[in-house]
Amino acid sequence: MIDIHCHILSGVDDGSYCLSESVEMARVAVESGTTDIIATPHTNAPGIDLNAWDDSFDAALSELNSALEKDRIPLKIHPGSEIYFTPGVLQMLKTGEAMTLNRSRYFLIEFDFYSREQTILDQCEMAASSGLVPVVAHPERYAAVQEDVQTAYRMKRMGCLLQLNSGSLFGAFGRGAQAAANEMLGDTLADFIASDAHSPYMRSPFIADAHEMVSDVYSIDYSDLLFSWNPGLVLADKEIVSY
Ligand SMILES: [Fe+2]
């Protein structure tokens, strides 16, 4: 499996706070059957340092990959970010300051959780106008989607792909998010499931249980599409055909 949303890079946001915690997160991910993680530190998020990708992130990424090699942990970490939408983001994407997922055409974007539906749809449209492909992080956590899951369908119509959090399937973000996630899975609206992990054990990178749940409740093929196939296309920067 390939985890496209994970705060595994240390000391750069509210995720892992040191290298040894990142290595522990990697161990948990490998136990879960994960082979690759895209590190997605917050970028442009209010309340968190403005931490757009720079050379220090490349150095932190190399340091982590070297530590994993040294400890013989079979996991590769790739560059990325979780970008909080503001109109300035379009320029940051152009200059490369806002890192896309593994430097591909896909970028992970998040919006204010409490925005009205029309605001989110307008922002989806602007994000898609970048010429790159927005992947909306955890749409099931947005109030507008919880009120009407068709909002998620409309986000896709604007040109976005949708990434659910594995924890949402088990109620980690409340019943509203859990119900919305299940509705999206039932309607095959989701394109990815990822951990959005922030530490080894709480909001963890363990996603095998979610893969098993989706396989049992929906289908093995859909589960593999969400956890492996589509994330693999992102890593390889190949086109995703969404439904
Ligand atoms: Fe995140």
Side-chain angles (χ1 to χ4, degrees), residues 5-7 40 42 82 108 110 137-138 165 196-198 203:
H5 183 172
C6 187
H7 299 263
T40 51
H42 288 287
E82 178 179 17
L108 190 64
E110 66 171 339
H138 38 63
N165 280 2
D196 193 7
H198 281 63
R203 292 188 75 175

Side-chain angles (χ1 to χ4, degrees), residues 68-101:
L68 299 183
E69 264 175 48
K70 186 167 147 273
D71 288 359
R72 299 194 178 167
I73 298 170
L75 184 76
K76 179 97 173 87
I77 314 295
H78 307 269
S81 65
E82 178 179 17
I83 304 165
Y84 185 89
F85 183 89
T86 59
V89 157
L90 299 177
Q91 184 61 20
M92 290 168 75
L93 284 165
K94 262 189 205 149
T95 59
E97 193 186 358
M99 176 64 75
T100 63
L101 295 170

Side-chain angles (χ1 to χ4, degrees), residues 182-237:
N182 276 299
E183 242 183 292
M184 277 184 258
L185 289 170
D187 291 344
T188 55
L189 284 174
D191 300 290
F192 307 91
I193 296 181
S195 72
D196 193 7
H198 281 63
S199 73
Y201 306 112
M202 297 289 292
R203 292 188 75 175
S204 122
F206 193 88
I207 52 177
D209 48 358
H211 179 270
E212 191 181 329
M213 199 256 238
V214 176
S215 300
D216 288 349
V217 177
Y218 302 95
S219 76
I220 291 174
D221 285 346
Y222 189 34
S223 197
D224 286 345
L225 181 94
L226 296 166
F227 286 91
S228 301
W229 185 258
N230 281 347
L233 293 174
V234 167
L235 266 194
D237 194 16

